């Protein structure tokens, strides 16, 4: 039995630009502080991890009500942005079809592991018409750490399948995804829809695709041992 875990932003959905913009707006409006949008500079580059570190950098005490207020504001801003410009969040070419195809294969489970908050990830997936509603999902609501989010996605998928997996692959678009996959000894497939993928190759990742347009090419390395 194999498990394939997908990241969301930049992997299944072309939503990184709108996501960054809305996140920045929400945090600035709620906390009235400037924010550094170089996400790789944060210890945990996830919605929850970045927010914690912004609070820490500005000496603002972290409280459940503060976190909830930013999260709520972000979701409102994101929802309005998607309604205003429906094209700001599209599927990465072929993503919806590949998920639909993989869901039907025997001896294979799918799961979602995203650094976004769950409501945000689901909103973007729905908007891009990618059908993932019934799949196990772990998000920034579970942990600020991408490694832990990945572990929780694995646990939920194993609980769903009623058994452990022989091979686990994480499909992601960022070096932090590669690093999280390596942390657990998972295989990694890079999606480089906005660049030439050289960042992955320099980091030693050997399986990289621009998108999912060539479904068979994408699926082949996932299903061979
Ligand atoms: Mg991503």
């Amino acid at each position: 039995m194999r498990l394939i875990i997908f990241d969301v932003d930049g992997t299944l959905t072309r939503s990184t630009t709108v996501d960054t913009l809305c996140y920045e707006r929400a945090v600035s409006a709620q906390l009235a502080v400037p924010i550094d949008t170089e996400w790789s500079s944060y210890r945990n580059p996830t919605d929850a991890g970045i927010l914690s570190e912004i609070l820490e950098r500005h000496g603002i005490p972290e409280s459940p009500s503060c976190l909830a207020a930013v999260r709520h504001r972000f979701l409102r801003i994101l929802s309005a942005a998607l309604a205003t410009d429906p094209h700001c969040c599209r599927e990465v070419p072929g993503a919806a079809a590949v998920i639909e195809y993989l869901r039907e294969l025997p001896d294979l489970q799918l799961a979602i592991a995203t650094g976004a908050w769950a409501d945000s990830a689901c909103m973007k997936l729905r908007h891009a018409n990618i059908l993932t509603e019934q799949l196990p999902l772990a998000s920034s609501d579970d942990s600020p750490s991408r490694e832990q989010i990945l572990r929780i996605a694995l646990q939920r998928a194993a609980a769903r399948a009623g058994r452990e997996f022989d091979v686990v692959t994480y499909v992601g678009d960022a070096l932090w995804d590669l690093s999280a996959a390596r942390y657990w000894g998972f295989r990694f497939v890079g999606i480089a829809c906005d660049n030439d993928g050289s960042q992955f190759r320099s980091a030693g990742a050997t399986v990289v695709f621009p998108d999912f347009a060539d479904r068979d090419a994408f699926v082949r390395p996932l299903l061979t041992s």
Side-chain angles (χ1 to χ4, degrees), residues 29-188:
Q30 194 67 36
L31 304 177
V33 295
I35 71 165
D36 175 5
T37 56
E38 184 53 52
W39 304 137
S40 58
S41 75
Y42 291 81
R43 287 192 302 276
N44 286 304
T46 62
D47 284 358
I50 291 165
L51 180 54
S52 281
E53 195 167 334
I54 289 170
L55 294 171
E56 183 187 311
R57 288 183 189 182
H58 290 90
I60 303 169
E62 187 173 321
S63 68
S65 63
C66 169
L67 300 179
V70 174
R71 186 182 183 285
H72 183 68
R73 192 156 194 157
F74 168 67
L75 289 168
R76 266 198 296 129
I77 293 174
L78 178 64
S79 171
L82 297 183
T84 305
D85 177 11
H87 298 294
C88 69
C89 171
R90 291 167 295 145
E91 67 163 343
V92 167
V98 91
I99 293 284
E100 205 179 321
Y101 174 76
L102 291 172
R103 288 180 78 145
E104 298 304 320
L105 295 186
D107 301 323
L108 183 70
Q109 272 272 335
L110 303 183
I112 303 289
T114 172
W117 284 305
D119 289 347
S120 154
C122 292
M123 192 186 294
K124 287 173 280 192
L125 289 165
R126 266 199 312 272
H127 185 86
N129 291 317
I130 301 171
L131 301 177
T132 55
E133 272 85 358
Q134 308 303 322
L135 301 181
L137 178 145
S139 72
S140 232
D141 292 296
D142 297 302
S143 171
S145 150
R146 189 165 295 267
E147 285 77 14
Q148 293 309 314
I149 292 170
L150 208 45
R151 182 183 60 82
I152 293 163
L154 168 69
Q155 286 175 337
R156 288 182 180 154
R160 174 79 59 90
R163 55 169 293 182
E164 298 300 312
F165 299 100
D166 306 308
V167 181
V168 181
T169 304
Y170 189 36
V171 184
D173 70 302
L175 287 177
W176 55 62
D177 297 322
L178 170 62
S179 150
R182 281 184 173 155
Y183 183 85
W184 296 115
F186 297 167
R187 294 182 183 184
F188 180 76

Side-chain angles (χ1 to χ4, degrees), residues 7-11 173-174 176-177:
D7 168 56
V8 176
D9 290 285
T11 300
D173 70 302
W176 55 62
D177 297 322

